[in-house]
Amino acid sequence: MAVVGAGYVGLSTALVLEHIGHEVRVVDADLDRVLLLQRGRDPLGEPHVSKLLDRTNILFTADPRVALARREAILLAVGTPRLSDGRADLSAVFSAAGDIARHAAPVPVLVRSTVPVGTADRLQAGILTSFRVVSNPEFLREGSAILDALRPSRIVAGGALEDRSTVEELYGSILRQDYAPFGALKAGPDPVPFRWMDRRSAELTKYAANAFLATKLSFVNEIANVAGVVGADIRAIIGALGLDPRIAPGFLRPGIGWGGSCFPKDVKALEAFANDEGYDFTLLRAVIDQNNGQVERFLALMASELSRVPSPHIALLGLAFKAHTADCRESPAVALANLMADRGWQVTAYDPGVATRPGDLSPSVRVATTAAAAAVGADALVIGTEWPEFADAELGTLRAAMRGDALFDGRCIIDPARSAAAGLRYFALWATQSTDAGSIDVTLQMVESGSACADATAREPANGAS
Ligand code: UGA
């Protein structure tokens, strides 16, 4: 095998393919990354990657000739970032395809990058005409990419029927779940479903999966907002909703919105390429608008509750777009930090996974090395990322370091009873909000409600079937 691209999709897939017995070479244009990998260093911070790198025989190179010569199959996994108009930037895909056309024998090329529908057909008809192009989208989550690659919820591929057996053979022991255990990672009890289709359907399956999940989250955020204004208990609601197998319990935790390098890029790309074909995807536009407004809604709640505090000091817990990653790309927590800083608020942020200051974080936001340090003198604690250590934090200790007593939960991970017990007033979009017409005691109401949000997250299946 050759894998083109050593991002979290390419590298995780390469490591797992080698683990199940393939001889793998990986090429990446980023020489610094290649040098790190050659020294066995994990450039991603993904669980299990370091250990797999310690024992790997993968050849990492920046030279496509070295990687692509004498291969039986090639997996293309380069990035497809979002352009300013929402469309996917395919320049890395076409440049990699050019390398393949120049340096490889005409073998199957599996396109694992997320590409607009029709891209694999274009490659097949054009630059890769003498190769056999298969669309093979991935469903890996950052933070559990190795686990998701070893125990996927399904493997989807599309192309000419003659290539089906090659793909089944390639993923053979993952499909059968009969590979050797790796540390605590063992094969699952059941075979993995394999879905073979045409290239366009495989490409659209990927977008449909991400767009559906984003829609589910925007919907639950709307219900949470409605719960806040009508005085209903979102924790009880999502706990009951998730019991319906048609709805399922995963991806029901409300918050300040979904982010990361995939959802925002993919939902906008789907909306854009549907629109290019003359189809107006109104539902998806509403999903995107809902998400864009969620951070602003949260900020408006904070501004109203802190209106009597001149230039509030805020301790923001979390910068990453989700827990268990250092990735801050399109992070709602970073967007919130910047909006607070724009208002002249004094923001000190802390994130247990983020060692390098995000490039797009406002320069006036200070970064602390512990939650306790961020809390010193703060008027409010704000949860920006769903790290378990924030859910379990010693709220009493944080409260003692603060000047004020407000806790704004942007991720539905704090048990309001614990917040109240620590002397913190709990605020969230889903907590009944005080209005001019008369206020309901938020803390008392939420104390009785338990923490079904945390339950909903805990019950997400670990096999990528999120
Ligand atoms: C997502 C998909 O889940 C993967 O299946 C897909 O392969 C990947 O994109 C991709 O296209 O490569 P990922 O970006 O790693 O994976 O992030 P998720 O775990 O899906 O979370 C996305 C966002 O939703 C985060 O901001 C997270 O905080 C938010 N979220 C998630 C919630 O607000 N509530 C939830 O209940 C779950």
Side-chain angles (χ1 to χ4, degrees):
M1 294 286 308
V3 175
V4 185
Y8 95 101
V9 171
L11 182 57
S12 315
T13 309
L15 288 166
V16 162
L17 287 174
E18 202 217 21
H19 178 72
I20 66 168
H22 296 291
E23 192 246 300
V24 183
R25 294 181 190 168
V26 173
V27 57
D28 196 289
D30 179 346
L31 187 58
D32 291 338
R33 174 164 293 214
V34 170
L35 291 173
L36 267 184
L37 289 165
Q38 286 173 344
R39 278 185 267 133
R41 305 264 302 278
D42 168 16
L44 307 174
E46 275 288 320
H48 312 293
V49 165
S50 280
K51 287 219 171 74
L52 282 162
L53 280 172
D54 280 348
R55 31 158 282 181
T56 191
N57 288 316
I58 292 178
L59 182 147
F60 294 103
T61 175
D63 184 345
R65 278 169 307 185
V66 173
L68 295 167
R70 296 182 305 281
R71 302 287 91 190
E72 287 170 304
I74 297 167
L75 209 134
L76 204 162
V78 296
T80 53
R82 177 152 58 100
L83 292 167
S84 54
D85 63 4
R87 287 173 175 77
D89 179 354
L90 296 179
S91 51
V93 170
F94 281 92
S95 156
D99 285 339
I100 293 169
R102 270 189 298 279
H103 303 301
V107 294
V109 176
L110 279 61
V111 181
R112 203 135 172 83
S113 305
T114 300
V115 289
V117 176
T119 305
D121 280 354
R122 266 175 74 196
L123 290 168
Q124 181 68 81
I127 198 162
L128 294 179
T129 186
S130 56
F131 291 74
R132 302 205 303 282
V133 180
V134 173
S135 168
N136 175 218
E138 51 77 29
F139 305 97
L140 312 176
R141 293 166 296 178
E142 280 192 45
S144 58
I146 296 293
L147 181 64
D148 290 350
L150 278 170
R151 293 175 69 167
S153 51
R154 72 286 207 197
I155 290 180
V156 172
L161 199 52
E162 65 194 275
D163 294 319
R164 178 182 174 146
S165 55
T166 309
V167 178
E168 279 181 298
E169 201 181 314
L170 180 69
Y171 290 110
S173 60
I174 291 176
L175 288 168
R176 295 187 301 272
Q177 289 289 296
D178 63 1
Y179 48 81
F182 169 67
L185 300 182
K186 296 184 173 50
D190 301 314
V192 169
F194 180 65
R195 291 288 179 270
W196 181 261
M197 50 189 82
D198 62 86
R199 293 186 199 103
R200 283 172 186 258
S201 304
E203 288 167 332
L204 189 53
T205 301
K206 164 70 188 190
Y207 283 99
N210 276 1
F212 186 87
L213 291 170
T215 303
K216 189 175 183 187
L217 288 178
S218 282
F219 179 82
V220 84
N221 283 337
E222 290 283 63
I223 292 293
N225 297 346
V226 172
V229 296
V230 301
D233 177 353
I234 191 62
R235 291 172 171 80
I237 294 164
I238 62 175
L241 268 182
L243 291 175
D244 184 331
R246 294 168 302 173
I247 296 177
F251 265 68
L252 281 179
R253 183 176 37 72
I256 51 175
W258 39 267
S261 64
C262 303
F263 280 6
K265 159 178 88 74
D266 292 347
V267 292
K268 287 193 179 98
L270 172 53
E271 197 252 326
F273 69 68
N275 197 50
D276 285 346
E277 298 302 323
Y279 187 81
D280 183 11
F281 204 149
T282 50
L283 174 63
L284 211 51
R285 275 196 285 111
V287 166
I288 295 166
D289 289 348
Q290 197 295 324
N291 199 52
N292 290 340
Q294 197 67 357
V295 167
E296 310 244 0
R297 263 177 227 109
F298 189 74
L299 184 74
L301 167 69
M302 292 184 66
S304 127
E305 297 298 343
L306 297 171
S307 60
R308 280 191 286 268
V309 183
S311 179
H313 285 228
I314 307 293
L316 173 63
L317 301 187
L319 285 170
F321 85 96
K322 67 173 187 178
H324 308 292
T325 178
D327 196 341
C328 292
R329 284 176 289 175
E330 306 239 10
S331 168
V334 171
L336 178 65
N338 291 345
L339 287 170
M340 292 192 287
D342 288 350
R343 286 181 165 243
W345 297 1
Q346 311 294 313
V347 183
T348 306
Y350 163 67
D351 190 297
V354 179
T356 310
R357 189 186 170 89
D360 56 349
L361 186 64
S362 162
S364 69
V365 174
R366 285 185 300 178
V367 178
T369 49
T370 62
V376 173
D379 297 296
L381 271 186
V382 178
I383 307 292
T385 307
E386 63 271 31
W387 285 99
E389 77 169 67
F390 297 154
D392 301 336
E394 275 294 330
L395 294 177
T397 310
L398 297 179
R399 167 72 184 92
M402 293 167 63
R403 178 169 72 178
D405 65 352
L407 187 156
F408 293 89
D409 185 359
R411 291 298 191 168
C412 204
I413 59 165
I414 301 291
D415 179 351
R418 289 189 60 238
S419 171
L424 286 161
R425 290 181 301 136
Y426 180 91
F427 299 103
L429 287 167
W430 43 88
T432 304
Q433 281 141 49
S434 44
T435 63
D436 292 343
S439 64
I440 301 171
D441 186 327
V442 172
T443 312
L444 277 181
Q445 194 204 355
M446 299 303 285
V447 162
E448 296 168 358
S449 60
S451 56
C453 292
D455 290 346
T457 313
R459 275 183 272 126
E460 264 169 44
N463 66 351
S466 35

